[in-house]
Structures are given as structure tokens and as C-alpha cells.
Amino acid sequence: MDVYIKGFLIACQGIPTTVWVSLIAIVIGAAFGLLLALCSQTKSKILQVLAKIYVDVVRGTPMLVQALIMAYGVPWLLQSWGTGFKWANLVIPAIIVCGCNSAAYMSEIIRSGIQAVDKGQMEAARSLGMSHGMAMKLIIIPQAIRVILPAFANEFVTLIKETSVLGYVGVIEILRRGQLWNASSFETFPAYIGVALAYMILTIPLSKIINGYERKMARRESAR
Amino acid sequence: MSMIEVKGLCKSFGELEVLRGIDQNVDEGEVLCIVGPSGSGKSTMLRCINRLEEPTGGEIYIDGELITDRNVDQMRTKMGMVFQSFNLFPHKSVIENLTIGPVNVKKEDEGSAKERGMKLLERVGLAEKAEEYPRNLSGGQQQRVAIARALAMDPEVMLFDEPTSALDPEMVGEVLDVMKDLAKDGMTMVVVTHEMGFAKEVADKVIFMDGGVIVEQGTPDEVLSHPKEPRTQDFLSKVLV
């Protein structure tokens, strides 16, 4: 039994890295995703197409491949151009990749949230003399956020799990901790069970909170 | 001096011509009611006046000033709009619905906007609902708040797009009473409505629209009680059962 507890505790040492990489990435993802969503809603065809291409490329490739390109491919390319570029810490490309990856999914979530807000809301805001941007900021986005909050939190849960690929680009997160311990102790089953449990103590409470929020919203909707 | 001047207004949705050259003036303090069958273009005309629909042709002047793409936001502050489906902001309290426009668009300070907002709520008989959220109000109350919200911008013209069509019958009266009050106070109003009683009582001028043109216009008595055009007679015989 001790060996299982040890495996779990070792995996838990990776939790801080996993959590703060995920947190920074979800913030980047939300901000960049909002920008992408707004681009896809503008009248400018160029911005629409650029946003679409970005989303398609990111969603069409595995995050591990994106991480390898960013962590190793990009420095190689820059060095081949004669610069001495090197990532100061491999956590940096890891965060960039997770943020940019998440942005593609977030933009779709935000876009559907904006579209879920009744068309009359924009008309009412504009009829008061608000510009399109002001109406977005004061009227549409605050209402869209309520709609997308559960999907947003689900994306965070997904992102936490996806960061497990970052071990391959040199970030010592939960999975990597377990792998390293396995390599030195050969306690293979306890090592990976410990890793699984460490992810679960992050993701399951979050999922429960989301379910509670969704039930509360559903009750409020039906009370109207 | 005309408060609203509509000149040669045309609007098409793709192949479909909804307005085929509308000319109409509304004088200051005048109440104009627009009646007609659904699909006649009456709501589209109203929505073109404040550019919720982009006209395909023609010009609209408010208080002598032409509405263009550049000045549209500023021109809209002169026109209050009331929608069939209220369109209150559900994430804002009643009083915030009234202050959000003045504070953000006109840069009025929060305190004085709130003070004016409360006076307007009193005027529509809903001062005690100031801190409520729209979802807790009846349809009639929501529409009265929507009227107060439009008035909070201190408009020169009020546009009403079938303001009572989405209401339960017992709530129509309270909304019409607020509108009658406004008319009495000399507000310039354009009202798209199916309420013939309201039109007869309050309107200075009535226009009957069909097929994207103004078929007949005149005083309420002329258009609604003694229509000359067969199309007007036909429509009225169907609604005034």
C-alpha cells in the first residue's frame, strides 16, 4: 500500500506546474479566443478568413505536435537563420502552445455564446445610440458569458488533461513526475495509478462545480 | 418645420422589394400611426428611420439633419425606439436599464442619470420596481420600462414598433395609457400598431400601407372611419369585426 501512496504523492508534486500552466494558458486562451470570436463576427472578410484558418489548423493537428514544433522546431528554424535563439525555460513554449491551442476551442465557444444572445439586444443597444463595440462590451458579452461559463469550465478541465503531453517537451508536470519515478523505481503500476489520481483530484471537483452551476441555471430558466 | 422627413425611401431584401418609395413628413408634436396588413412594410419603414435596417434608397432627415453612416449613432440618440418584444437588458436591473444609455452614450454622471431615471419610472408608474430585474416583471410592466428607457435618452422623437402586439390583452391598456400621456405632453411619435382604437383617439395622422407603398393617408376619421381606397376598406373590414 505504501508504494501506492508514494506514487500518488510523487505525482502530486507535479500538480503546481500543471495547475499554473493550465491557469495561464486558459487566460491566454480566453483573451485570444475572444479576439478570434470577434474577428469571425466582423464585416471584414480578411479577418474572418484568418480566424477561420487559425481555428482549422489548430483543431486539425494534435497538441503534442504543436508543442514539439513550438519547443524544438521554432528554435531550430531561428538558429538556422543565424540567431542564437533558445527558450530560456521550456515552460514558456509549453504555455504558449496550450494558450494558443485553447484559444481555437474558446473562440468557437464564445462565438456560439454571442450568437445565443437574442438579436433584439443588439438592436435595443444600438437604438440607444451605442456603437457596435460599446453594445458588445456592455450588453452582448456579459450575457454571452453566462451562457458559456459551463463550456468554458469544461474547456479548462480538458486543458488540464491535455497538459499531460507537455512532459514530452521537457516540462516536469504530473505525468512526467510519475514517469521519472517509474524509471528509477520500476514501480510501474503504482506510478501511473498515482498519476491518474492526481489528475482526478483536479478535474472531478471542477466538473462537480460545473454541474451544480448548470443545474442552478436550469432551475432559474424554468422559474421564469 | 418637420421633425422627421422621409424622402423616396426604398428597401429591398435581396429580390424582395419591401418599400417602394415612401415620402412622409412628421411635424413636431405630431402623432403618426401606421397601419396595414403584415408584410406591408410598416415595421420596415420604422426600422429604416433609425437605421436598424439600412435603406436601399432615399433619405431621412431628423430635425433637418440627414442621417448618414457617419452620424448614425449620434442621430439615434434623438430617437427613442420601443420594440414589440421589449428587449430590456436582462442582466441589468430596471433602473440600470434606464441609466446605461445616458451614462455611457451621453457621458451623464451616474447620480443625475439615476435621479432622472427614477422620475421616468414614476411617470410610467413603476418607481417601486427600480431594483427588480426585468424577468420579475409582467409583459406590460416590461414594456413600460422599455418606454422609460427610451425616454431616458431625452429623445425628440419616439418610434413604436407594434408595442402591444406581444402583450396579454389585459396588459395592453396600461401601455397605451403611457403612450397617450406622452402624446398629450407633445412628444413627436410614430406608432406602428394594430390598435385601431388607439389610432382613432390619439393620432393626428394615419397612414395605411400595403405592398410597400402608402395607399391612403389623412386624419384618423378620414382613413379609419371613411376610407376611400378599396384596399383600406378591405383591411379595415377584416380587423374591425
Side-chain angles (χ1 to χ4, degrees):
Chain A
M1 195 61 205
D2 278 359
V3 74
Y4 285 92
I5 293 170
K6 180 128 196 253
F8 173 65
L9 291 176
I10 282 177
C12 283
Q13 289 171 1
I15 286 181
T17 306
T18 293
V19 166
W20 69 260
V21 166
S22 304
L23 274 176
I24 300 175
I26 198 80
V27 171
I28 295 174
F32 190 22
L34 176 62
L35 194 71
L36 285 170
L38 292 176
C39 282
S40 69
Q41 304 263 298
T42 54
K43 285 183 189 152
S44 158
K45 277 270 175 292
I46 301 169
L47 287 177
Q48 278 179 28
V49 169
L50 285 177
K52 181 89 174 63
I53 290 174
Y54 180 88
V55 170
D56 285 348
V57 167
V58 169
R59 297 213 301 186
T61 50
M63 193 164 92
L64 177 56
V65 175
Q66 295 162 11
L68 291 169
I69 291 173
M70 183 63 79
Y72 302 128
V74 168
W76 181 91
L77 183 69
L78 292 176
Q79 283 159 17
S80 75
W81 289 346
T83 63
F85 182 83
K86 194 167 167 282
W87 291 111
N89 186 332
L90 282 170
V91 163
I92 298 168
I95 288 172
I96 295 173
V97 162
C98 287
C100 292
N101 183 280
S102 179
Y105 294 89
M106 286 297 301
S107 81
E108 294 293 293
I109 294 170
I110 294 170
R111 199 165 59 92
S112 67
I114 289 172
Q115 279 166 354
V117 176
D118 183 62
K119 204 168 122 278
Q121 292 291 307
M122 178 55 93
E123 293 189 345
R126 296 305 299 271
S127 79
L128 292 174
M130 291 187 192
S131 65
H132 182 85
M134 188 188 280
M136 271 295 187
K137 184 174 136 225
L138 295 174
I139 306 299
I140 308 299
I141 290 174
Q143 291 183 60
I145 284 175
R146 283 173 207 212
V147 180
I148 67 179
L149 219 49
F152 179 88
N154 277 324
E155 171 59 22
F156 188 53
V157 170
T158 305
L159 189 60
I160 287 174
K161 291 184 289 184
E162 294 245 296
T163 57
S164 62
V165 306
L166 297 179
Y168 290 98
V169 295
V171 179
I172 317 288
E173 37 63 73
I174 295 174
L175 175 57
R176 191 72 188 145
R177 289 273 176 194
Q179 283 177 326
L180 290 172
W181 185 63
N182 172 45
S184 62
S185 69
F186 302 106
E187 303 281 8
T188 306
F189 193 66
Y192 291 128
I193 288 296
V195 166
L197 286 174
Y199 279 110
M200 277 164 63
I201 62 170
L202 292 178
T203 53
I204 288 180
L206 253 170
S207 300
K208 291 271 172 256
I209 294 170
I210 302 165
N211 286 342
Y213 176 82
E214 278 182 317
R215 266 201 302 275
K216 200 178 110 197
M217 290 300 278
R219 264 204 307 278
R220 246 177 65 178
E221 275 304 305
S222 62
R224 274 168 86 164
Chain B
M1 167 82 197
S2 290
M3 184 58 90
I4 306 175
E5 267 183 274
V6 178
K7 284 186 184 169
L9 177 64
C10 295
K11 173 67 184 176
S12 307
F13 294 102
E15 294 285 288
L16 184 70
E17 266 188 298
V18 182
L19 298 175
R20 310 157 186 253
I22 304 278
D23 295 285
Q24 186 64 47
N25 288 355
V26 185
D27 291 334
E28 191 170 350
E30 193 172 44
V31 178
L32 171 71
C33 282
I34 309 176
V35 300
S38 58
S40 60
K42 53 196 194 310
S43 281
T44 306
M45 172 179 166
L46 196 74
R47 291 164 59 81
C48 280
I49 292 177
N50 77 344
R51 284 271 174 139
L52 286 178
E53 301 291 352
E54 190 90 18
T56 22
E59 291 169 342
I60 289 157
Y61 297 82
I62 302 296
D63 209 4
E65 197 177 337
L66 177 69
I67 304 180
T68 63
D69 283 339
R70 291 179 145 265
N71 69 6
V72 61
D73 286 343
Q74 188 250 327
M75 294 298 277
R76 280 195 184 118
T77 65
K78 299 183 180 186
M79 297 177 267
M81 177 87 177
V82 176
F83 300 87
Q84 183 176 343
S85 48
F86 330 136
N87 295 346
L88 292 178
F89 306 132
H91 61 306
K92 299 282 177 192
S93 69
V94 165
I95 186 70
E96 285 168 343
N97 265 275
L98 267 65
T99 57
I100 194 165
V103 168
N104 291 285
V105 176
K106 289 188 156 179
K107 309 296 172 201
E108 186 175 343
D109 78 272
E110 199 93 45
S112 84
K114 194 167 176 186
E115 203 174 302
R116 284 197 312 111
M118 285 309 297
K119 282 201 186 116
L120 287 167
L121 284 179
E122 258 165 55
R123 187 166 167 188
V124 300
L126 289 169
E128 78 281 8
K129 301 284 186 192
E131 303 302 329
E132 292 277 359
Y133 279 81
R135 64 176 171 274
N136 299 327
L137 268 53
S138 72
Q141 290 172 332
Q142 288 194 43
Q143 193 60 300
R144 280 144 69 196
V145 172
I147 293 172
R149 174 177 70 179
L151 290 172
M153 290 300 287
D154 213 1
E156 294 173 41
V157 177
M158 285 286 283
L159 309 174
F160 293 86
D161 188 7
E162 302 195 24
T164 57
S165 296
L167 294 174
D168 292 335
E170 75 270 21
M171 293 172 184
V172 169
E174 60 188 82
V175 172
L176 292 181
D177 285 344
V178 169
M179 292 167 63
K180 283 176 200 166
D181 253 18
L182 267 180
K184 219 181 295 165
D185 285 353
M187 177 61 79
T188 309
M189 293 162 64
V190 181
V191 187
V192 172
T193 187
H194 293 293
E195 297 291 333
M196 298 304 155
F198 174 83
K200 271 183 188 166
E201 185 185 336
V202 182
D204 298 299
K205 188 160 70 183
V206 175
I207 61 182
F208 172 75
M209 282 179 74
D210 194 15
V213 293
I214 296 174
V215 175
E216 189 164 358
Q217 59 179 303
T219 64
D221 186 56
E222 286 166 353
V223 178
L224 299 176
S225 304
H226 305 95
K228 292 186 193 70
E229 296 289 328
R231 274 196 283 179
T232 318
Q233 291 164 353
D234 181 50
F235 172 74
L236 289 172
S237 72
K238 282 176 191 152
V239 282
L240 300 173
V241 187

